Amino acid sequence: MQPIVVRRPLVAIVVPALSAGSFVLYVAFGLAWALAHGEDIGGGSAAIVMAAAAGALGYRLATLSLRADGQKLVIHNCWRTRRVPIAQVEGFDLGKATAGSLWTVRVLTSRAIIPIDVIGVSRFFGRVAARNMEKLERQQRDLASWVAAAKSRT
């Protein structure tokens, strides 16, 4: 059985990583310049916290993914990474993603409903929304048939 790996397009990985990285470097160089020139860095601790938060968010956005092998689903979302054994997957549905107004495929288990943020789409804007929802429904069917095949092999 071929594993499933879903990642964001390269530009959607590079842009958040570069944005967060450039902000972190901006803060680091700004603080280094201020220290070298004897300037007051009263807001330095707040800047460091903001840079750390931006770096963490940029990393999480760059690593959004879904990986499914024959034994488990590994879902890297915005805030958490979830590992779900194939045996616990009861099905899939469409619903809200972790953050924002995006819709996505969600994994249904007896314990939780887990959105898969990497395949989130917008439901707005007419024809584009219709194509997005068709794409989600197709991905939902593909994942369901893949999990059914994986369960039948075990």
Side-chain angles (χ1 to χ4, degrees), residues 61-138:
L61 289 175
T63 59
L64 288 177
S65 66
L66 164 70
R67 195 174 118 276
D69 57 24
Q71 300 164 8
K72 67 183 176 292
L73 300 174
V74 180
I75 305 163
H76 293 275
N77 281 340
C78 289
W79 310 118
R80 289 183 72 177
T81 297
R82 307 287 291 268
R83 289 167 180 76
V84 182
I86 293 290
Q88 291 181 3
V89 175
E90 296 177 354
F92 297 91
D93 75 350
L94 300 179
K96 286 250 186 199
T98 300
S101 61
L102 296 179
W103 277 68
T104 189
V105 177
R106 302 184 305 177
V107 179
L108 304 176
T109 69
S110 59
R111 296 182 186 161
I113 298 173
I114 305 164
I116 305 171
D117 290 345
V118 71
I119 53 179
V121 298
S122 175
R123 290 190 347 160
F124 305 111
F125 307 118
R127 290 185 196 159
V128 173
R131 282 195 304 268
N132 285 343
M133 293 309 288
E134 287 173 7
K135 177 182 170 186
L136 272 186
E137 290 167 357
R138 186 175 44 245

Side-chain angles (χ1 to χ4, degrees), residues 17-27:
L18 285 178
S19 298
S22 62
F23 181 70
V24 169
L25 288 176
Y26 174 76
V27 169

